């Protein structure tokens, strides 16, 4: 029987195959490398530098004196910091919780409703998201105005006295939370709606045949199926809500950095900006930034753990 001899592989062919295999292994890392490089330059390095500056009495045009953790000791004894922390958490809760709950309910209704011009109504919910924050602040400042605002006019019809929202603690929190919720409500609704439309209709039809009502379908089908999107919206809204800056800055025109004489709506980011760029205490401002980072990390982790408890129905 004849035997076919395979020619010996030459050294250049071996080297070519090695280079080709090496390239195939390196290619995926090369594709994602730009993101990590940009993140390292504009995200990680500034974060590490903030931790470094927090350990100094940092004069932007003078000496940098190492003081260890004195900035943090001063921070935890500063009533202005705790006031800003309370304002931040209060505004975040007032804006985030109702927004996510109402967006989830509305998305469920839109998913089952039969509307004419449904695409138009769905796209119109993005109008608040693309509207300028400055324009939103002007409109809401007029609505919540003590003398000529729509809300106080309605309270007057009910026989109640006017409320000076921006000059009161809870009133300013409600006003800013309403601005934030109005801006992000439509965006969150569309995220939920897009995920709901990916659920096969046959699942709802089978549940209806088995006797499940609308509430049972919403609880046992819609919510578990939306688990990844709910986790995403909870974490992102937590990060954004605890970093709120523009809304309280714009509504408190007389004292934008302190947000009023009693700092009734000054958030942690406003307090950081006041100390760092208003009074040029860069070390103290960096310590506030570190504290804000730890707060966001802790709350986002807690929300993630709680959100992952939503389990799909089996």
């Amino acid at each position: 029987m004849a035997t076919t001899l395979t020619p010996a592989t030459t050294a250049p062919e071996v080297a070519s195959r090695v280079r080709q295999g090496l390239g195939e292994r390196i290619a995926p890392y090369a594709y994602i490398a730009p993101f990590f490089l940009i993140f390292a330059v504009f995200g990680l390095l500034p974060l590490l530098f903030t931790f470094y500056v927090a350990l100094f009495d940092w004069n932007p045009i003078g000496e940098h004196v190492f003081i260890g953790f004195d900035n943090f000791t001063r921070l935890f004894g500063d009533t202005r910091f705790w006031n800003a922390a309370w304002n931040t958490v209060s505004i975040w809760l007032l804006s985030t919780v109702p927004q996510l709950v109402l967006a989830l309910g509305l998305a469920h209704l839109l998913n089952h409703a039969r509307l004419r011009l449904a695409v138009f109504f769905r796209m119109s919910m993005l109008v608040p998201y693309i509207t300028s924050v400055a324009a939103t602040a002007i409109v809401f400042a007029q609505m919540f105005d003590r003398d000529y605002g729509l809300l106080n006019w309605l309270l007057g019809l009910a026989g109640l006295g006017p409320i000076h929202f921006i000059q009161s603690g809870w009133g300013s929190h409600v006003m800013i939370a309403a601005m934030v919720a109005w801006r992000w409500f439509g965006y969150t609704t569309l995220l939920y709606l897009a995920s709901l439309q990916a659920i096969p209709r046959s699942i709802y039809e089978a549940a209806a045949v088995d006797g499940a009502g609308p509430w049972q379908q919403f609880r046992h089908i819609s919510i578990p199926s939306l688990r990844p999107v709910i986790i995403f919206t909870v974490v992102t809204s937590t990060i954004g809500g605890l970093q709120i800056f523009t809304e309280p800055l714009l509504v408190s025109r007389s004292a934008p950095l302190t947000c009023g004489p009693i700092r009734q709506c000054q958030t942690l980011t406003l307090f950081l900006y006041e100390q760092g760029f208003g009074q040029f205490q860069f070390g103290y401002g960096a310590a506030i930034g570190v504290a804000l980072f730890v707060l966001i990390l802790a709350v986002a982790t807690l929300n993630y753990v709680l959100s992952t408890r939503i389990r799909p129905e089996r």
Side-chain angles (χ1 to χ4, degrees):
M1 183 173 61
T3 304
T4 303
L5 299 177
T6 304
T9 305
T10 62
E13 292 177 347
V14 173
S16 176
R17 292 179 181 178
V18 170
R19 286 194 299 268
Q20 183 179 3
L22 184 61
E24 292 177 353
R25 290 194 296 268
I26 295 178
Y29 299 98
Y31 295 148
I32 64 174
F35 165 78
F36 289 99
L37 290 176
I38 294 174
F39 171 75
V41 174
F42 297 102
L44 184 60
L45 289 181
L47 178 63
L48 296 177
F49 187 68
T50 301
F51 281 89
Y52 175 75
V53 174
L55 302 176
F56 288 80
D57 182 5
W58 192 283
N59 190 327
I61 58 175
E63 296 182 354
H64 306 155
V65 181
F66 179 79
I67 58 175
F69 294 97
D70 288 354
N71 280 324
F72 296 97
T73 304
R74 173 188 172 189
L75 183 68
F76 294 137
D78 192 344
T79 56
R80 299 174 301 174
F81 167 75
W82 294 111
N83 174 72
W86 160 248
N87 292 338
T88 302
V89 174
S90 175
I91 294 172
W92 165 65
L93 288 174
L94 289 174
S95 62
T96 301
V97 176
Q99 174 206 154
L100 296 180
V101 173
L102 293 176
L104 184 60
L106 180 59
H108 181 75
L109 292 177
L110 291 176
N111 187 46
H112 290 81
R114 296 183 179 180
L115 301 174
R116 293 183 178 180
L117 302 176
V119 176
F120 169 77
F121 287 110
R122 291 167 183 170
M123 292 299 101
S124 65
M125 288 189 293
L126 282 177
V127 172
Y129 178 69
I130 63 177
T131 303
S132 168
V133 181
T136 303
I138 294 174
V139 172
F140 274 80
Q142 295 297 322
M143 290 179 57
F144 285 83
D145 185 72
R146 180 186 62 180
D147 300 318
Y148 305 104
L150 175 63
L151 293 181
N152 277 316
W153 177 73
L154 294 175
L155 291 175
L157 294 179
L160 302 176
I163 300 175
H164 202 335
F165 285 94
I166 194 58
Q167 293 298 328
S168 64
W170 69 269
S172 60
H173 293 187
V174 170
M175 176 181 175
I176 297 172
M179 292 174 56
V180 176
W182 180 82
R183 185 184 180 198
W184 292 98
F185 173 73
Y187 172 78
T188 307
T189 302
L190 288 181
L191 285 180
Y192 290 151
L193 180 60
S195 299
L196 285 173
Q197 290 182 337
I199 303 174
R201 290 283 181 178
S202 58
I203 298 179
Y204 290 102
E205 294 172 356
V209 171
D210 291 339
W215 168 248
Q216 292 175 319
Q217 295 179 23
F218 175 71
R219 180 183 175 185
H220 297 288
I221 298 177
S222 299
I223 293 182
S225 300
L226 289 176
R227 177 173 172 264
V229 184
I230 291 176
I231 294 174
F232 171 78
T233 55
V234 167
V235 173
T236 54
S237 62
T238 298
I239 296 173
L242 294 178
Q243 293 181 354
I244 185 171
F245 175 81
T246 309
E247 287 82 358
L249 179 70
L250 293 178
V251 299
S252 54
R253 291 168 291 180
S254 59
L257 293 184
T258 59
C259 200
I262 58 174
R263 301 175 181 265
Q264 63 270 16
C265 60
Q266 185 186 50
T267 59
L268 282 173
T269 51
L270 276 179
F271 185 48
L272 186 158
Y273 191 88
E274 177 197 8
Q275 297 300 311
F277 298 97
Q279 301 182 9
F280 298 104
Q281 299 183 19
F282 280 16
Y284 192 51
I288 300 171
V290 172
L292 178 60
F293 169 77
V294 173
L295 175 63
I296 293 175
L297 183 63
V299 177
T301 303
L302 177 62
N303 283 339
Y304 173 79
V305 172
L306 294 177
S307 299
T308 53
R309 296 178 64 89
I310 302 174
R311 300 295 181 184
E313 294 293 321
R314 299 184 182 275

